[in-house]
Amino acid sequence: QVQLVESGGGLVQSGGSLRLSCAASGRVFSIRAMGWYRQAPGKERELVANITTSGGSIKYADSVKGRFTISRDNAKNTVYLQMNSLKPEDTAVYYCNAHEIRVVNVEGAAISKDYWGQGTQVTVSS
């Protein structure tokens, strides 16, 4: 199992900044990527950004490119999301995600699983 603990959400004015953190514990050696998703009221959960733990491959949603930066500290098993130039439309509950791939036998069969944090509220006032 993997446990995720998020921190850093809050209320900020439009144009402001926030930094989210997500610390993983448990079976961290099997995590292949970590990232952030968000869900606004009445909308589906969407990817904000993610980063692989090995090669550092990074993906951003078009709506946050140039404003948000995802980074990781493998020694601390922690991923960060620096959010700058925040807009009211960024208001949502932000969820940390960890994608695990675990080899289960000598033939190399693997099982993948996604883990989620409890969510942290980000509110941007206009």
Side-chain angles (χ1 to χ4, degrees):
Q1 296 289 325
V2 173
Q3 295 79 41
L4 302 173
V5 177
E6 304 151 343
S7 60
L11 172 65
V12 65
Q13 289 188 336
S14 181
S17 298
L18 284 174
R19 189 193 195 207
L20 305 182
S21 299
C22 175
S25 61
R27 202 164 51 210
V28 297
F29 57 86
S30 62
I31 296 173
R32 295 297 177 263
M34 292 184 69
W36 294 92
Y37 287 69
R38 67 186 180 187
Q39 187 167 19
K43 295 188 176 181
E44 293 187 353
R45 190 173 297 189
E46 63 175 358
L47 173 70
V48 177
N50 67 6
I51 183 169
T52 58
T53 53
S54 59
S57 176
I58 295 174
K59 181 187 300 183
Y60 291 102
D62 288 343
S63 59
V64 306
K65 284 180 181 177
R67 299 188 298 123
F68 291 10
T69 302
I70 191 169
S71 61
R72 73 187 194 280
D73 184 336
N74 284 346
K76 296 181 179 180
N77 299 311
T78 299
V79 64
Y80 305 96
L81 185 68
Q82 178 66 43
M83 304 185 294
N84 299 328
S85 302
L86 282 160
K87 305 175 181 180
E89 50 264 44
D90 294 317
T91 295
V93 177
Y94 284 69
Y95 295 92
C96 179
N97 168 268
H99 184 70
E100 175 191 48
I101 297 178
R102 188 161 55 95
V103 176
V104 295
N105 62 29
V106 295
E107 285 79 25
I111 295 175
S112 65
K113 185 174 181 178
D114 282 296
Y115 294 89
W116 298 92
Q118 78 280 4
T120 184
Q121 177 70 46
V122 171
T123 302
V124 184
S125 63
S126 57

